[in-house]
Amino acid sequence: AATAALRGDGAGASAAAAGGGVTALQSQVQQALRVSDLEASEEVLRQQLAALQAELDRRESQVAFDHQMHPGLVELEHTTPMPTASFGPVKVPELEYEDFLLLVAIMLIMLIFAVPFMTPWNRFCETRRHKVMPVLAILNFSILAYTLDRLYMISFNTMFFGSVKAFEIFIGSTESLLTGCVALVGLFVAWRFKDRILAFIGIEHGALLVGDFRDWATCWSMKRFHAMEIYILKVEGLPSVKITGENNVFCEASLGYNMEMRTRVHNGAGHRCVFKESFQLNFDPWDTDSRLYISVKNQGLISEEISSVQIGAAKVRKLEEKPMQKGTLGWGATSGSSSARSDQSAWDPKRFTAFDMVPAGTIYLRFVSVAQEEESVSFFECCCGCLFGGSRRAQVTAVSDTALLTAQH
């Protein structure tokens, strides 16, 4: 019995050992199958990778060939599609659509805020604005909140930072605009007071240095000027500068680029003075900006202006007479001749025009064109004369000052 028991245990052990060997064999077979599958998959992946690498090399060679054949060709970048909104058959980007909705909401909010100030609601809201405006503010806030809630591409932060950026752009543009305006105003002020600025620097006649458009357009030619003689007969009704003494009167005239011309001083003339003096100035009849300024002054330690008058170029051109056939100078026009008391006299009061002065007084003036002499013409004056209407020819034969003096004797 003991022997049989021992034999039975040996058989069971052999059967158990045989079962364990089969299980190990099955696991080895499964592992081998897995390895073979992995190797097959790896081989497939290698083949696919080789195919992709070959396709990539082909495309790179194609791109290189295209760049070589077409140097200006630019390769387009890959883009991703954006969400769109449909309006029937038309599609627009979703972001633009939401920007439009937000803009409409903001305009509606502004309109609601403006309602209390519009007719006919202003009558009702005029005395109740402290109650109406808070209600409208809550309503507008609700509209804005609802609009932002319905928009999924625009948030409150996006709107806030967009508003900050727009405000920054507005401030920068306003600063640039104000800087430009200040520069323009500075240039205008400098141009408007250029004469005073140049006089302060020490330049006596700044207009000759700067000039105006007419001077630059004509290359600083003098062909647009002609000589004009101003006759001063007398002044009347002058106020007294000093209570204790009479006026020591003289006249001073200025016109455009001319130097100031002065008469001699008439000592003790008082309220009335007969000058019978003349001087010549260069006159541009079409310069509407310049004015003839004549002032009557009193000579002293500091010359004081008694009265003055300003005459425009159009008025002077209207009163200007033709050149005289016989030259006359000063008192010589009425001395030693019987014609001095006739209507042909240069100092005939009928030929003079009275001008009221400021603050008081009357001055009698006469304007006569002077016959021009032939003068040498520079190259620039010749060119400008050809470009701007030709040179101005003398209408009367030139008469020199020596001939005028000889004619009086």
Side-chain angles (χ1 to χ4, degrees):
T3 303
L6 290 172
R7 289 178 179 175
D9 294 338
S14 298
V22 171
T23 303
L25 181 60
Q26 290 178 353
S27 62
Q28 291 177 1
V29 170
Q30 291 178 357
Q31 185 175 3
L33 292 175
R34 292 175 182 174
V35 171
S36 62
D37 292 340
L38 291 175
E39 291 178 354
S41 301
E42 184 178 0
E43 184 65 25
V44 172
L45 292 176
R46 287 177 180 176
Q47 293 177 0
Q48 293 179 355
L49 181 61
L52 292 176
Q53 185 66 34
E55 180 67 18
L56 181 60
D57 294 340
R58 185 185 67 80
R59 292 191 176 184
E60 289 180 353
S61 62
Q62 182 67 29
V63 170
F65 177 75
D66 292 340
H67 280 288
Q68 183 178 1
M69 297 300 297
H70 306 282
L73 184 64
V74 179
E75 184 179 1
L76 297 178
E77 297 181 355
H78 297 285
T79 58
T80 56
M82 294 291 294
T84 58
S86 300
F87 288 94
V90 180
K91 292 184 178 181
V92 296
E94 181 68 22
L95 184 59
E96 295 182 3
Y97 172 68
E98 293 189 1
D99 288 339
F100 174 74
L101 293 180
L102 182 61
L103 179 61
V104 171
I106 293 175
M107 293 179 64
L108 179 61
I109 290 173
M110 296 175 63
L111 179 62
I112 293 175
F113 268 125
V115 165
F117 303 94
M118 300 169 60
T119 307
W121 299 282
N122 57 348
R123 296 182 180 179
F124 175 79
C125 301
E126 186 174 3
T127 58
R128 301 178 179 86
R129 289 177 183 171
H130 62 286
K131 298 180 180 179
V132 174
M133 298 306 292
V135 176
L136 295 182
I138 295 174
L139 177 61
N140 290 332
F141 181 78
S142 302
I143 294 174
L144 181 61
Y146 177 77
T147 304
L148 293 176
D149 181 68
R150 300 296 297 177
L151 303 178
Y152 68 93
M153 294 192 69
I154 299 178
S155 62
F156 179 79
N157 289 338
T158 305
M159 186 190 70
F160 175 76
F161 288 110
S163 303
V164 172
K165 185 176 181 180
F167 186 69
E168 181 181 0
I169 294 174
F170 173 75
I171 292 178
S173 302
T174 304
E175 182 181 2
S176 302
L177 179 62
L178 293 178
T179 303
C181 292
V182 169
L184 291 177
V185 171
L187 291 175
F188 175 77
V189 172
W191 176 260
R192 189 69 179 83
F193 298 96
K194 62 181 182 300
D195 296 334
R196 297 186 181 182
I197 295 175
L198 294 174
F200 176 77
I201 295 175
I203 301 175
E204 185 175 358
H205 291 278
L208 295 174
L209 177 64
V210 180
D212 56 9
F213 176 76
R214 291 173 177 268
D215 300 317
W216 291 101
T218 57
C219 299
W220 297 86
S221 174
M222 295 296 294
K223 291 299 179 181
R224 59 191 178 95
F225 294 92
H226 69 271
M228 179 186 64
E229 190 165 1
I230 301 176
Y231 292 83
I232 303 176
L233 178 61
K234 60 181 178 179
V235 291
E236 297 177 343
L238 296 177
S240 297
V241 177
K242 298 180 180 179
I243 301 177
T244 58
E246 295 181 343
N247 297 328
N248 300 319
V249 179
F250 70 95
C251 278
E252 182 179 272
S254 62
L255 174 63
Y257 297 152
N258 294 277
M259 302 293 292
E260 285 80 4
M261 304 296 293
R262 297 181 179 88
T263 64
R264 70 178 181 87
V265 179
H266 297 256
N267 295 316
H271 302 283
R272 183 178 183 276
C273 178
V274 178
F275 285 98
K276 280 192 176 182
E277 298 184 42
S278 65
F279 41 75
Q280 295 182 1
L281 299 173
N282 291 321
F283 175 58
D284 181 7
W286 305 109
D287 188 2
T288 57
D289 296 332
S290 63
R291 292 178 174 271
L292 174 62
Y293 184 79
I294 299 179
S295 61
V296 179
K297 296 185 177 182
N298 176 63
Q299 188 188 43
L301 294 177
I302 299 178
S303 298
E304 302 179 28
E305 183 177 290
I306 303 175
S307 297
S308 63
V309 63
Q310 294 186 25
I311 308 172
K315 183 69 173 178
V316 175
R317 184 174 68 250
K318 183 179 179 181
L319 297 176
E320 187 177 7
E321 302 177 11
K322 295 181 179 180
M324 301 178 61
Q325 297 296 331
K326 184 179 180 180
T328 56
L329 292 175
W331 284 88
T334 58
S335 62
S337 176
S338 59
S339 63
R341 291 178 295 275
S342 64
D343 294 338
Q344 300 298 325
S345 173
W347 300 105
D348 184 10
K350 297 179 181 179
R351 293 188 171 188
F352 288 82
T353 304
F355 293 91
D356 294 330
M357 307 183 72
V358 178
T362 305
I363 187 171
Y364 294 83
L365 301 175
R366 179 188 175 196
F367 308 98
V368 180
S369 179
V370 177
Q372 292 188 348
E373 300 179 357
E374 293 294 337
E375 299 178 355
S376 60
V377 181
S378 64
F379 172 75
F380 292 102
E381 291 181 356
C382 179
C383 294
C384 295
C386 296
L387 293 176
F388 298 97
S391 61
R392 186 178 183 271
R393 299 294 182 182
Q395 299 176 358
V396 182
T397 305
V399 180
S400 62
D401 292 342
T402 306
L404 291 176
L405 293 173
T406 306
Q408 303 302 322
H409 300 285

